[in-house]
Amino acid sequence: MKVILAVPAIVAIVYRAWSRKSLTPIGLVVAALTASIHAIYPSPVPFACLAVFFLGGTTMTKIKHGIKARLTVSSSGSAGGEGPRNHVQVLANSVVATILIIFHARYFPDSNGSTCFPWGGDILTVGIIANYAAVAADTYSSELGILSKSSPRLITSPTLREVPPGTNGGVTLAGLLAGVLGAFTIALTTVLLLPFCGTGSGHGITASGLDGGKAWGLREKVLWVVAITVWGVLGSVLDSFLGGLLQASVVDKRTGKVVEGDGGRKVLIHPGEVISTGIHDGSIRVRRASAADTAVAPPSTDADYESRKIETGYDILDNNAVNVLMALIMSVGGMAVASYVWDMPFLSSLI
């Protein structure tokens, strides 16, 4: 990406986050570094995907903030709703794509990706786009899905039982449709900015001689948009499944509302005693709370924590770790699927 475009774009993104207080001070620094790394990619597509995801995500958060504040409560004792996002949350959505970009810059510095995206093209670009399609779909789904008038259904439950709004693994039709919108914003961005051309050759991460020099026509571009959108929605569904299984959803017994951990972190059940690690066959598995757990959510009163219970899930990962795991699976999976469709060995396309 050209420096003359990258610098003002990075400044604009950071300024918007600062002016709207959507990121913490450390979050702003990490966001600026992440955007700078995205800007080194030959094509402007990764940076554009980051920008579209960030702008769309913060807009969705603002739209539902007041309603979510009434539907959930914060682990700090305040009303629910997102405060400024921290550096961990920034990385949770972008670190996989950032690693792919660094890998590309390190091993393929002479890539011609800025001038041509061939049929059977740059596998790393596919992985980066898959990352942002998935996290955008997940963000739109979680941010807008909570506004659904129907109760969410737990995706990990055989009976798809109803759960409180904000429960990890809870899905609604409205949330799925919002996920389609989020993934589509990324798919549309890529189809507008990718320099599509004929079959690629040369720099080690493209195929050569595929389909007799097949080029990107209107049909292929439409299929590309559909594929990226569907893949993003699948990422959102995967995130719901992983969250419902590996992330504990804590409910305030007095209000019946889901308790959200600050910064996407785990919610402390009771300081100094036990933390549930999941529900299995009707019994609650527990472990002794550590000092790190107490640091995550400083207690206000013991009574507050006595009122909490595990609604669903195993307390293995927090929300940020679930996001990273989902993004990793969808990025690697997206590259593998693209290699299969383009009839190119996956590993050799990265060598």
Side-chain angles (χ1 to χ4, degrees), residues 59-72 79-82 143 146-147 257:
T59 300
M60 295 303 106
T61 301
K62 186 175 181 63
I63 289 174
K64 59 80 191 173
H65 178 79
I67 296 177
K68 188 174 183 180
R70 299 196 298 270
L71 295 175
T72 64
E82 290 275 357
E143 299 297 316
I146 198 171
L147 308 182
K257 296 179 179 180

Short mmCIF file of all heavy atoms in Angstrom, two decimals, residues 59-72 79-82 143 146-147 257:
data_model
loop_
_atom_site.label_atom_id
_atom_site.label_comp_id
_atom_site.label_asym_id
_atom_site.label_seq_id
_atom_site.Cartn_x
_atom_site.Cartn_y
_atom_site.Cartn_z
N THR A 59 -19.54 1.17 14.81
CA THR A 59 -20.89 1.68 14.53
C THR A 59 -21.95 0.76 15.11
O THR A 59 -22.93 1.21 15.72
CB THR A 59 -21.10 1.82 13.02
OG1 THR A 59 -20.14 2.73 12.49
CG2 THR A 59 -22.50 2.35 12.72
N MET A 60 -21.78 -0.56 14.92
CA MET A 60 -22.73 -1.52 15.46
C MET A 60 -22.78 -1.45 16.98
O MET A 60 -23.85 -1.53 17.59
CB MET A 60 -22.37 -2.94 15.04
CG MET A 60 -22.46 -3.19 13.54
SD MET A 60 -24.09 -2.85 12.84
CE MET A 60 -23.76 -1.30 11.97
N THR A 61 -21.61 -1.29 17.61
CA THR A 61 -21.55 -1.19 19.07
C THR A 61 -22.32 0.02 19.57
O THR A 61 -23.05 -0.04 20.56
CB THR A 61 -20.09 -1.11 19.54
OG1 THR A 61 -19.39 -2.28 19.11
CG2 THR A 61 -20.01 -1.00 21.05
N LYS A 62 -22.19 1.13 18.87
CA LYS A 62 -22.88 2.36 19.26
C LYS A 62 -24.39 2.21 19.10
O LYS A 62 -25.18 2.70 19.92
CB LYS A 62 -22.38 3.53 18.42
CG LYS A 62 -22.95 4.88 18.86
CD LYS A 62 -22.32 6.01 18.06
CE LYS A 62 -22.87 7.37 18.50
NZ LYS A 62 -22.55 7.67 19.91
N ILE A 63 -24.81 1.52 18.05
CA ILE A 63 -26.24 1.36 17.78
C ILE A 63 -26.93 0.62 18.93
O ILE A 63 -28.01 1.01 19.38
CB ILE A 63 -26.46 0.59 16.46
CG1 ILE A 63 -26.09 1.51 15.28
CG2 ILE A 63 -27.91 0.13 16.32
CD1 ILE A 63 -26.14 0.80 13.94
N LYS A 64 -26.33 -0.44 19.42
CA LYS A 64 -27.00 -1.28 20.41
C LYS A 64 -26.57 -1.00 21.84
O LYS A 64 -27.04 -1.66 22.77
CB LYS A 64 -26.78 -2.75 20.08
CG LYS A 64 -25.33 -3.20 20.03
CD LYS A 64 -24.74 -3.45 21.40
CE LYS A 64 -23.24 -3.64 21.31
NZ LYS A 64 -22.61 -3.71 22.64
N HIS A 65 -25.69 -0.02 22.07
CA HIS A 65 -25.12 0.17 23.41
C HIS A 65 -26.19 0.36 24.47
O HIS A 65 -26.18 -0.31 25.51
CB HIS A 65 -24.17 1.37 23.41
CG HIS A 65 -23.58 1.64 24.77
ND1 HIS A 65 -22.53 0.92 25.28
CD2 HIS A 65 -23.92 2.54 25.74
CE1 HIS A 65 -22.24 1.35 26.49
NE2 HIS A 65 -23.07 2.33 26.78
N GLY A 66 -27.14 1.26 24.26
CA GLY A 66 -28.14 1.54 25.26
C GLY A 66 -29.03 0.34 25.56
O GLY A 66 -29.36 0.07 26.72
N ILE A 67 -29.40 -0.41 24.52
CA ILE A 67 -30.26 -1.57 24.72
C ILE A 67 -29.50 -2.67 25.44
O ILE A 67 -30.02 -3.31 26.36
CB ILE A 67 -30.80 -2.07 23.37
CG1 ILE A 67 -31.69 -1.00 22.73
CG2 ILE A 67 -31.57 -3.37 23.54
CD1 ILE A 67 -32.21 -1.36 21.37
N LYS A 68 -28.26 -2.90 25.04
CA LYS A 68 -27.47 -3.94 25.68
C LYS A 68 -27.24 -3.62 27.15
O LYS A 68 -27.17 -4.53 27.99
CB LYS A 68 -26.12 -4.10 24.97
CG LYS A 68 -25.32 -5.30 25.46
CD LYS A 68 -24.08 -5.52 24.63
CE LYS A 68 -23.33 -6.77 25.07
NZ LYS A 68 -22.11 -6.99 24.28
N ALA A 69 -27.13 -2.34 27.47
CA ALA A 69 -26.94 -1.94 28.86
C ALA A 69 -28.12 -2.34 29.73
O ALA A 69 -27.97 -2.55 30.94
CB ALA A 69 -26.72 -0.43 28.94
N ARG A 70 -29.30 -2.47 29.12
CA ARG A 70 -30.48 -2.89 29.87
C ARG A 70 -30.62 -4.41 29.93
O ARG A 70 -31.32 -4.94 30.79
CB ARG A 70 -31.74 -2.29 29.25
CG ARG A 70 -31.77 -0.77 29.25
CD ARG A 70 -33.17 -0.25 28.99
NE ARG A 70 -33.68 -0.66 27.69
CZ ARG A 70 -33.52 0.05 26.56
NH1 ARG A 70 -32.85 1.20 26.62
NH2 ARG A 70 -34.02 -0.37 25.42
N LEU A 71 -29.97 -5.11 28.99
CA LEU A 71 -30.14 -6.56 28.90
C LEU A 71 -29.06 -7.34 29.63
O LEU A 71 -29.25 -8.51 29.96
CB LEU A 71 -30.15 -6.99 27.42
CG LEU A 71 -31.33 -6.49 26.59
CD1 LEU A 71 -31.15 -6.89 25.13
CD2 LEU A 71 -32.64 -7.01 27.14
N THR A 72 -27.90 -6.72 29.88
CA THR A 72 -26.80 -7.38 30.57
C THR A 72 -26.26 -6.50 31.68
O THR A 72 -26.63 -5.32 31.79
CB THR A 72 -25.65 -7.70 29.58
OG1 THR A 72 -25.11 -6.47 29.07
CG2 THR A 72 -26.14 -8.56 28.43
N ALA A 79 -23.98 -1.11 34.79
CA ALA A 79 -24.86 -1.64 33.76
C ALA A 79 -24.03 -2.24 32.64
O ALA A 79 -22.84 -1.96 32.50
CB ALA A 79 -25.74 -0.51 33.22
N GLY A 80 -24.66 -3.10 31.85
CA GLY A 80 -23.94 -3.73 30.76
C GLY A 80 -23.62 -2.77 29.64
O GLY A 80 -23.88 -1.57 29.73
N GLY A 81 -23.09 -3.30 28.56
CA GLY A 81 -22.70 -2.45 27.44
C GLY A 81 -21.20 -2.28 27.41
O GLY A 81 -20.53 -2.31 28.43
N GLU A 82 -20.66 -2.13 26.22
CA GLU A 82 -19.21 -2.05 26.03
C GLU A 82 -18.65 -0.70 26.43
O GLU A 82 -19.21 0.35 26.09
CB GLU A 82 -18.87 -2.29 24.56
CG GLU A 82 -19.11 -3.72 24.11
CD GLU A 82 -17.94 -4.63 24.40
OE1 GLU A 82 -16.92 -4.13 24.89
OE2 GLU A 82 -18.07 -5.83 24.14
N GLU A 143 -23.28 -8.07 18.15
CA GLU A 143 -23.68 -6.72 18.50
C GLU A 143 -25.16 -6.45 18.19
O GLU A 143 -25.85 -5.79 18.96
CB GLU A 143 -22.82 -5.70 17.76
CG GLU A 143 -21.34 -5.77 18.08
CD GLU A 143 -21.05 -5.47 19.54
OE1 GLU A 143 -21.62 -4.52 20.09
OE2 GLU A 143 -20.27 -6.23 20.14
N ILE A 146 -28.26 -9.35 19.78
CA ILE A 146 -28.82 -9.17 21.12
C ILE A 146 -30.09 -8.31 21.08
O ILE A 146 -30.86 -8.29 22.04
CB ILE A 146 -27.77 -8.55 22.07
CG1 ILE A 146 -28.17 -8.77 23.53
CG2 ILE A 146 -27.57 -7.07 21.77
CD1 ILE A 146 -27.09 -8.39 24.52
N LEU A 147 -30.30 -7.61 19.98
CA LEU A 147 -31.49 -6.77 19.84
C LEU A 147 -32.71 -7.57 19.38
O LEU A 147 -33.81 -7.02 19.30
CB LEU A 147 -31.22 -5.64 18.84
CG LEU A 147 -29.97 -4.79 19.08
CD1 LEU A 147 -29.87 -3.69 18.04
CD2 LEU A 147 -29.99 -4.19 20.49
N LYS A 257 -29.86 -11.67 34.30
CA LYS A 257 -29.10 -11.11 33.19
C LYS A 257 -27.70 -11.71 33.14
O LYS A 257 -27.13 -12.07 34.17
CB LYS A 257 -28.99 -9.59 33.32
CG LYS A 257 -30.33 -8.86 33.24
CD LYS A 257 -30.13 -7.36 33.41
CE LYS A 257 -31.46 -6.61 33.31
NZ LYS A 257 -31.28 -5.15 33.49
#
